[in-house]
Structure formats: structure tokens, C-alpha cells
Amino acid sequence: MGIELFDRSKRNIVLTEAGATFRKHAQRLNDEYKEMLANLKEYKRAPSLSIVAIPVIAQYGITSYIAQFQSAFPNIQLMLEEREASTILPALNDHQFDLAFVRDNYLDVEQYHVLEVDRDKFMVTLSVKHPLATRTSISLSELANENFIMFDKGTIVHELAVDVCRQAGFVPRIFYASLRVESILGLVASQSGIALIMEKIFQYHKHPDVIAIPLREIVESKIVLVYPRGKKLSIPAKNFWEFIREYPR
């Protein structure tokens, strides 16, 4: 182009003013190219649909939705991928997927179309031998001196648990963090600590030596299907959106 895009006169190579302008336009072209590919998918001979989800599709019945959708639309090639929450929205915004199943906590609803699929709430999980195990409900403030077994950082439930503890006036003392529910419940059963776990997640992974007790504070989390505002859905994605909207619950 006959234009210097990089300034190499210094020790560290940096963009020139022209280079910064070029990068801005190149990024816009790249975004438009990805959007074009996403919009053209519906014109393939075999229509396709790509969905990304947090790793709780079985616990919230999403596997059943998927199976019944495939039965109703056998011609659509469906690709479903599970990812950790922190990576899902960037991938969705980058047109890597058509739709996403996520939790609504911390979701900017001004940026996404949102369809509620299910809802859940935090419970306190304790060893059956814990002194509070006979209670019918527990306040968060009563847990201030407990060891907490948490889901890993980067998960919405981790951030939510830390935030509600802070709102109750304390910073949780995190003894252990894991992505595996089985590991968390195993440590709770061994009396290594307590855990805040969503009720339906606990019901799915029940442990004989662990009890779940309601929190006095209601801390909810909704499972929602989303896609970015301003994005044109493909015909398969529209079919799936309407299928979930009309699915009896």
C-alpha cells in the first residue's frame, strides 16, 4: 500500500497512526466476514445449527429438549458443545455459535435476546454430621466461620457465591475449588467444609452423607437461551428458539 504500518525506530515495534487505522478497518472486515458466513449457513444443502452451553445440560433437562428437537427436525445437523461460562459469550459474539445456554446472573440483557428455560436457587450443603444439619433453614451470616468448598473461579456459581457472602458481611474462606460436583460433595461429606450448590444440581448428584438445607436469603439463578441483539438468526436457529419457547414446562 506504500504506507508504513509499524514504527520500528524504537526498541519495541508499535503501530503507526496509519497502522492503528488499518487495524480498526481490518477488524471490522473480519467481523463482517464471520457474520456473512454465519448468515449463509442456512443456504447449505444440509441446514446446520450450533449451540454452546454451560456444563449442566442434563441437570436442567436440556438433553431432553435437544432430543425432541432433533426428532421434530431430523434434517437439521445439530452441533452442541459444552464450555465453561467465561468462554461462552465471547464465542457467541464471535459468530462461532448460533445460540447459547447460560445463567442469567451478570448477563447484560441489553446486549442479548433472552429466553428463560429453567430456574434454580442456592442451597447450603452440609455433612449429615454437621451441627446445623438438623435446621430447616440457614442464614448466610451463620456460615461466616465455615470452610467453603467452591466451584472453580470462572464459573458463574463461584462468582455468585462469593458475592452473596460479601453482601452478608463476610468474605468466604475457600478451602477447595473444583469443577466437579462429585468432588465438592465428597469433601462436604468428609466434613472438610460446606458448599453453596444449586438445588437441582444437588438433586441430580445426591450424596448419602450430605444434606441440602434452604437459605433464608433467596439467591436465584435462571438458565436462559440467548443470542446477541442485532444478530440475524438462521432458519434452524429460529426453529430451535421457537421450539424452546413453546416447550411445555
Side-chain angles (χ1 to χ4, degrees), residues 21 24 29 32 38 55 58 67-68 70 84 99-100 105 124 144 147 151 165 179 189 191 201 203 241 243:
T21 300
K24 180 176 65 176
L29 287 171
E32 289 179 355
Q68 293 189 47
Q70 288 184 302
E84 291 309 314
L99 300 165
N105 310 90
V124 185
N147 285 334
F151 284 94
C165 288
L179 285 173
Q191 302 184 70
I201 300 295
Q203 292 298 327
W241 184 270
F243 181 86

Side-chain angles (χ1 to χ4, degrees), residues 203-247:
Q203 292 298 327
Y204 189 87
H205 295 277
K206 274 187 175 180
H207 191 293
D209 297 320
V210 176
I211 188 170
I213 298 175
L215 277 173
R216 287 180 186 162
E217 302 88 345
I218 303 299
V219 183
E220 280 196 331
S221 179
K222 298 174 184 175
I223 301 298
V224 293
L225 184 64
V226 302
Y227 69 94
R229 292 188 183 274
K231 175 182 178 179
K232 179 185 176 184
L233 285 182
S234 66
I235 291 175
K238 287 179 183 176
N239 289 338
F240 188 81
W241 184 270
E242 291 305 317
F243 181 86
I244 296 298
R245 184 199 299 274
E246 296 172 7
Y247 194 91

Side-chain angles (χ1 to χ4, degrees), residues 29-52:
L29 287 171
N30 185 52
D31 291 343
E32 289 179 355
Y33 175 71
K34 290 179 178 178
E35 184 176 3
M36 177 195 71
L37 292 180
N39 290 339
L40 288 174
K41 283 201 306 182
E42 64 184 272
Y43 300 106
K44 290 182 178 180
R45 289 185 179 179
S48 61
L49 171 62
S50 58
I51 301 173
V52 62

Side-chain angles (χ1 to χ4, degrees), residues 54-62 82 103 118-123 125 151 157 178-185 195-207 210 212 221 223:
I54 55 176
V56 292
I57 60 172
Q59 294 91 324
Y60 291 107
I62 295 172
E82 285 190 337
R103 293 191 183 276
D118 205 347
R119 60 176 60 194
D120 210 345
K121 62 181 179 181
F122 265 151
M123 304 283 280
T125 57
F151 284 94
V157 286
S178 174
L179 285 173
R180 295 181 60 82
V181 181
E182 296 86 354
S183 298
I184 292 172
L185 292 178
L196 297 178
I197 295 181
M198 292 294 164
E199 182 177 16
K200 292 179 180 178
I201 300 295
F202 176 76
Q203 292 298 327
Y204 189 87
H205 295 277
K206 274 187 175 180
H207 191 293
V210 176
S221 179
I223 301 298

Side-chain angles (χ1 to χ4, degrees), residues 68-79:
Q68 293 189 47
F69 177 79
Q70 288 184 302
S71 178
F73 297 89
N75 62 314
I76 294 177
Q77 292 183 352
L78 177 62
M79 188 276 287

Side-chain angles (χ1 to χ4, degrees), residues 126-140:
L126 312 163
S127 163
V128 294
K129 298 178 182 178
H130 193 284
L132 297 176
T134 59
R135 296 278 294 275
T136 57
S137 66
I138 298 174
S139 176
L140 277 165

